[in-house]
Amino acid sequence: TMAITEAEAKALTRFFGENMPLTTRAAQESATGIRFPYTVPGVIGFRNFFYWDTYFANWGLLSMEMYGQVKNNLLNMADFVDRFGYIPNADVLLNRSQPPLFTRAVYDYVEASGDREIIAALLPAMVREHTFWQERRLAPCGLNRYGDEATEQELRFFNKEIAERLGLFEEDLKEGFSDRNLLAAAESGWDFSSRFFDGRQCIAAQLCPVDLNAILFDAERKLAAFAEEVGEKELAVTFIKTARERAERMYALMYDGERGLFFDYDFLRCEKRRGPLHAASFAPAAFGVDLSQGGLGKLLAALEGPYGLTVCERNACSERFQWDYPFMWAPITAIACEGLHAAGLNEDAARVMKKYCDTVEENFFKTGNLWEKYNVVSGERGDSCEYETPPMLGWTAGVYLRFRNLIEKFGF
């Protein structure tokens, strides 16, 4: 690992101190009616709110004790739920949501700030978001999937744009440009990955993703605790039951006992998805579904590179997608390390966290910036096939600061 000097550490601290506030936009800068100051993914070129980018950027804001801006972000999320019934991918991308981390975001804020009054204020919005996922994204097997809220016109425009970006053509999409699988993949946040493809055909809408269901399990347990805290006993009991039933379904449909891992479930074919290994299989440990070590060590061995953790093991389609080998993305590394730590694989968690921090630092001192993603083989920024990698502050910074705090806290 690369040890940085005291002067370099001060330079990084100064960079965060100067730039993190610059990711805040005033409410009046929004063209879509955002009510409170909001966080954008990066300083350069970003004007809009993005859902899960904001969740991980909050980690950086919490690390810097910028509690007021985290609260603003939560209030904006609640406002989106009030307006649309869900939190959109972005304030300008209303035809889909993203991984439902709102309840977890409230929990993170409460734990860091001690502001427990916000629980009662935001509980209705947290419950309503959960209702959206149960009503609009429930597969016949009783687990959840990704989907979309697009009109036919929006769908065709999106598919044409993505087909060009990925080098696909209409004949590759068997249902033509009315196929909704690419939008489902976009809602996952993993846009795009061989995880959601069968050959050249995207099948995201027919999968119950392991990370989505683990996130919802965690939300249900936290909603039960929140409801109990504010005196809504019946609601608490309901969410305890819902979480238990979800865990049972995940074990029944997603868990492979021989491999000791959970896999995405293909509810159309009634089988576990046998595609390339990917880091979403860390999510059941990260979100409390199953804390056993099982096959996590073998999963880590398949995904860990010299400079960090890639999101998907190398396969025939890797070169086509950015959420794939050899790229390391902050949110996925975060979930993986949470899972490794929760399962008691602390040395592994520490090593991956240090690799991530070292790679971020080395590139920062080379380029003067943070980046959206990195290459785990070369250690350089992740220049990918889909678009030019933007300079990135929010989630890269958030995960970096959280990892540095954990390394210091636990003495890794």
Side-chain angles (χ1 to χ4, degrees):
T1 62
M2 183 187 77
I4 60 174
T5 66
E6 187 176 344
E8 288 173 332
K10 286 181 179 177
L12 260 173
T13 301
R14 185 167 61 249
F15 176 82
F16 290 131
E18 291 172 354
N19 284 275
M20 211 64 181
L22 299 180
T23 63
T24 299
R25 301 285 179 263
Q28 54 265 35
E29 292 186 55
S30 163
T32 56
I34 294 178
R35 292 177 55 204
F36 302 93
Y38 59 100
T39 295
V40 298
V43 174
I44 301 167
F46 291 98
R47 312 301 305 171
N48 298 102
F49 162 94
F50 284 80
Y51 185 2
W52 82 322
D53 302 67
T54 300
Y55 173 80
F56 290 100
N58 278 353
W59 281 13
L61 297 171
L62 292 173
S63 295
M64 298 172 69
E65 298 185 3
M66 296 173 68
Y67 300 136
Q69 185 50 44
V70 176
K71 184 174 183 178
N72 286 333
N73 289 336
L74 298 177
L75 293 173
N76 283 323
M77 289 179 182
D79 197 45
F80 281 124
V81 176
D82 289 341
R83 289 163 64 188
F84 306 119
Y86 59 97
I87 300 171
N89 181 163
D91 60 316
V92 290
L93 296 172
L94 303 181
N95 60 21
R96 57 188 182 271
S97 185
Q98 271 197 322
L101 290 159
F102 176 39
T103 298
R104 180 79 172 212
V106 174
Y107 173 84
D108 291 346
Y109 166 75
V110 170
E111 289 299 298
S113 69
D115 175 11
R116 306 201 73 83
E117 292 182 5
I118 200 170
I119 294 171
L122 297 188
L123 184 59
M126 290 186 274
V127 171
R128 190 175 177 198
E129 188 198 31
H130 183 269
T131 300
F132 164 80
W133 286 91
Q134 292 297 84
E135 291 182 351
R136 299 287 299 167
R137 299 290 188 268
L138 196 65
C141 64
L143 291 172
N144 292 78
R145 62 179 187 88
Y146 287 114
D148 72 272
E149 300 297 304
T151 65
E152 189 69 20
Q153 183 179 7
E154 289 174 328
L155 176 67
R156 290 176 179 275
F157 177 82
F158 178 83
N159 280 350
K160 182 176 185 297
E161 182 180 59
I162 299 306
E164 292 170 357
R165 173 170 140 186
L166 296 179
L168 299 172
F169 299 94
E170 187 168 357
E171 59 266 27
D172 292 314
L173 302 168
K174 293 175 184 173
E175 302 302 320
F177 282 161
S178 289
D179 183 282
R180 292 187 175 268
N181 281 288
L182 288 173
L183 264 172
E187 186 169 75
S188 78
W190 292 50
D191 42 343
F192 290 89
S193 172
S194 57
R195 170 191 181 186
F196 291 124
F197 277 73
D198 186 2
R200 296 185 66 81
Q201 177 69 15
C202 185
I203 59 168
Q206 72 191 56
L207 300 178
C208 294
V210 63
D211 44 353
L212 170 60
N213 283 277
I215 289 167
L216 286 167
F217 171 82
D218 177 66
E220 287 153 2
R221 292 209 306 179
K222 285 176 170 46
L223 284 167
F226 286 159
E228 182 77 27
E229 183 166 339
V230 301
E232 296 201 32
K233 308 287 187 186
E234 289 184 17
L235 187 61
V237 170
T238 297
F239 277 115
I240 289 169
K241 181 174 181 287
T242 304
R244 184 177 65 247
E245 290 173 349
R246 181 182 304 280
E248 290 170 354
R249 287 193 182 97
M250 289 181 72
Y251 277 109
L253 301 177
M254 294 178 158
Y255 188 66
D256 183 328
E258 287 185 18
R259 301 172 83 179
L261 292 171
F262 290 79
F263 293 91
D264 297 338
Y265 182 71
D266 185 332
F267 64 86
L268 287 189
R269 297 170 180 164
C270 298
E271 64 185 20
K272 298 176 188 70
R273 174 85 170 109
R274 300 293 185 183
L277 289 172
H278 53 76
S281 291
F282 287 110
F287 293 101
V289 179
D290 184 332
L291 301 182
S292 64
Q293 295 179 359
L296 294 182
K298 289 182 179 178
L299 177 63
L300 180 60
L303 301 179
E304 187 176 359
Y307 294 94
L309 189 81
T310 187
V311 295
C312 201
E313 74 176 333
R314 191 171 192 173
N315 64 86
C317 297
S318 291
E319 304 305 317
R320 295 175 51 216
F321 303 114
Q322 61 173 350
W323 286 82
D324 226 294
Y325 181 88
F327 299 116
M328 171 173 70
W329 290 77
I332 306 308
T333 303
I335 289 170
C337 288
E338 294 269 315
L340 290 167
H341 178 54
L345 295 167
N346 293 325
E347 289 185 9
D348 291 323
R351 186 180 64 257
V352 175
M353 285 192 284
K354 286 176 179 175
K355 283 186 178 183
Y356 174 87
C357 291
D358 289 348
T359 300
V360 169
E361 289 164 359
E362 190 168 347
N363 280 276
F364 174 76
F365 294 121
K366 272 187 199 170
T367 66
N369 220 321
L370 307 183
W371 298 93
E372 181 189 59
K373 55 188 175 289
Y374 297 90
N375 186 312
V376 305
V377 177
S378 69
E380 297 172 344
R381 71 183 183 188
D383 291 324
S384 69
C385 46
E386 294 190 37
Y387 55 73
E388 187 176 345
T389 299
M392 195 74 165
L393 178 65
W395 67 16
T396 303
V399 173
Y400 173 85
L401 289 168
R402 183 175 176 90
F403 281 1
R404 275 291 171 219
N405 289 344
L406 287 171
I407 289 168
E408 290 175 18
K409 179 180 177 182
F410 292 105
F412 290 143

